[in-house]
Amino acid sequence: MIIQSCVSAAAALVLLGSVLTTGVAASAESRVRAAADGVSAIEARPNDGSGYWPDFSNTGYANTPANAGGLGLGAYPGRLTDYAPNMSADKPLRLEFPDNSVISFKRFLALKVTIYGDNLTFVGCLFEGTNPNDNLVQIYSDSNIKFLYSTFKPSSYSMPPGNDGTVSSSHSKPGTPFDKSWQLATTMKEAVAVMDHNDIWGNAGLEMVTGFPGRPSTWTNNYIHDMADTSHDVYHHDGIGPQSEGDGGPMIVRHNTLASLGNTNALALQGSGVYDHISFTDNYVSGWGYALSIGVTNNATNITVTDNVFSAELEQLWGFLYGNIWGGSARGSTWRRNLIQARTGDGNRTYSTRDNGRYLWPTGSESHTTDYTG
């Protein structure tokens, strides 16, 4: 069972504002750096060699730099150490660590990994296995959990089926077959996750606490792609989520690649309760059913959706925003500078090259020459 919380905005606003300020600065720095290299957000795609967006070149255990997370660790040493002998994708694996532990450069192979201990940080680790319709990683932490530069994948494949490393995600179905997939990583208690520079694929969602007052969940620089079993309807194909109750937030989702074929949402906030203080900025989004779901009724507050690239690269079933549900400035929400990226041969046939670089509004699928102001 995932535990969610309704936000009292006043308590969360100070911390969220400071984190958002940091996020904006980091986003601006990445844009300046990319511009200096002759690449911009609208020009770049994951795995195109530019490194602008999170992709195989800059996420996951093999790309761990020195001092990741400011922890003073070295860079990826060239190989991982097995956590235990005789690990198997057919057997569960129970991990118990003292609170505040840092676990680095370990390989965990299991049917299901259960994690016990609070304020744990995993750096440069590999979690792999096969657990269809269930959790690959199940987390029993009271307050905090961090995964930095780690990889979550099926054990049967080294690369996602259909993705040769030149596209954001496979353009063809089914991806990882159901019987070789895993479904979720799930927080079972009140731990708020920090997810940064992780490579995550071959699954169907990430069911983690969205945040509590003063403690936003944070998703930055992750490569979430190649959902499993995309030819069938056994799974909901969610990137971040599902969260199906509502009453969630604060949450920061910044500079991620969220790209896959699938039937539901890259950001899967699918409940009828109030979502509050959700920030979705500077992300590359392509594919899915409706790419974003920010609730199923028009009651969300203080939602920020800015500076994202909504790419037509992958086939999309319906649209970029579920139900065109957008409360706008009257509810403290902001939608600005969100652009369509469209190229010849893209899978989303709603758009053509004439739409490239034009603005996406939350009120429909058509592109616009001017930004949204509501």
Side-chain angles (χ1 to χ4, degrees):
M1 176 180 180
I2 186 167
I3 301 171
Q4 302 293 346
S5 172
C6 180
V7 172
S8 171
L13 187 57
V14 173
L15 178 59
L16 183 59
S18 67
V19 176
L20 286 176
T21 300
T22 303
V24 168
S27 175
E29 289 174 5
S30 70
R31 289 171 184 271
V32 168
R33 183 171 61 254
D37 293 338
V39 179
S40 67
I42 196 64
E43 294 170 330
R45 282 189 172 174
N47 294 317
D48 66 357
S50 70
Y52 184 95
W53 295 111
D55 60 20
F56 286 126
S57 73
N58 50 34
T59 64
Y61 68 88
N63 293 300
T64 308
N67 200 32
L71 296 170
L73 299 171
Y76 172 59
R79 64 182 298 274
L80 299 175
T81 302
D82 281 354
Y83 173 74
N86 302 315
M87 295 185 300
S88 167
D90 298 322
K91 298 188 299 184
L93 186 63
R94 180 185 175 103
L95 311 182
E96 296 187 44
F97 298 105
D99 292 354
N100 308 307
S101 294
V102 176
I103 304 96
S104 60
F105 305 120
K106 294 287 190 294
R107 175 180 178 249
F108 303 97
L109 172 65
L111 176 70
K112 177 186 291 186
V113 178
T114 54
I115 299 174
Y116 294 85
D118 195 33
N119 197 31
L120 305 178
T121 301
F122 292 86
V123 182
C125 292
L126 170 62
F127 297 84
E128 59 179 344
T130 299
N131 200 359
N133 223 33
D134 205 342
N135 296 317
L136 174 64
V137 179
Q138 194 161 294
I139 302 160
Y140 294 88
S141 296
D142 290 322
S143 59
N144 299 292
I145 188 83
K146 294 181 182 179
F147 296 96
L148 313 179
Y149 285 95
S150 293
T151 299
F152 301 76
K153 61 179 279 295
S155 56
S156 300
Y157 301 97
S158 59
M159 287 283 287
N163 187 343
D164 63 358
T166 63
V167 294
S168 67
S169 187
S170 175
H171 290 202
S172 60
K173 302 175 181 180
T176 303
F178 177 78
D179 63 353
K180 298 184 183 300
S181 69
W182 56 281
Q183 186 181 17
L184 299 166
T186 300
T187 46
M188 306 300 288
K189 300 177 76 174
E190 294 189 357
V192 172
V194 171
M195 304 289 289
D196 182 68
H197 281 97
N198 300 299
D199 178 13
I200 304 167
W201 61 273
N203 64 312
L206 297 164
E207 194 173 9
M208 295 183 172
V209 168
T210 54
F212 296 101
R215 294 195 295 136
S217 69
T218 306
W219 302 73
T220 53
N221 309 301
N222 299 290
Y223 182 29
I224 300 172
H225 59 109
D226 289 286
M227 296 295 105
D229 195 38
T230 54
S231 289
H232 304 100
D233 293 325
V234 177
Y235 283 145
H236 273 203
H237 302 111
D238 298 312
I240 300 173
Q243 200 280 5
S244 55
E245 293 83 22
D247 301 327
M251 185 177 197
I252 297 164
V253 183
R254 177 177 55 79
H255 197 66
N256 302 276
T257 292
L258 302 164
S260 182
L261 301 178
N263 55 29
T264 41
N265 318 122
L267 180 63
L269 307 180
Q270 301 164 342
S272 58
V274 175
Y275 292 101
D276 183 66
H277 281 92
I278 309 292
S279 174
F280 189 85
T281 61
D282 193 27
N283 299 287
Y284 179 94
V285 186
S286 190
W288 311 95
Y290 285 101
L292 302 186
S293 177
I294 307 173
V296 297
T297 59
N298 197 355
N299 60 2
T301 54
N302 302 303
I303 309 299
T304 300
V305 179
T306 57
D307 298 299
N308 300 289
V309 168
F310 290 92
S311 177
E313 178 190 357
L314 298 171
E315 177 188 1
Q316 184 178 67
L317 296 184
W318 300 295
F320 281 115
L321 179 64
Y322 175 80
N324 299 326
I325 294 173
W326 184 253
S329 57
R331 292 200 177 93
S333 297
T334 302
W335 182 290
R336 297 287 187 276
R337 301 178 302 278
N338 297 297
L339 301 179
I340 294 290
Q341 183 195 74
R343 299 178 183 174
T344 301
D346 278 351
N348 186 346
R349 303 299 177 84
T350 301
Y351 303 99
S352 68
T353 54
R354 67 176 293 276
D355 299 296
N356 189 61
R358 297 180 69 171
Y359 294 96
L360 179 70
W361 291 11
T363 53
S365 61
E366 67 274 10
S367 64
H368 299 267
T369 58
T370 58
D371 201 0
Y372 181 72
T373 58

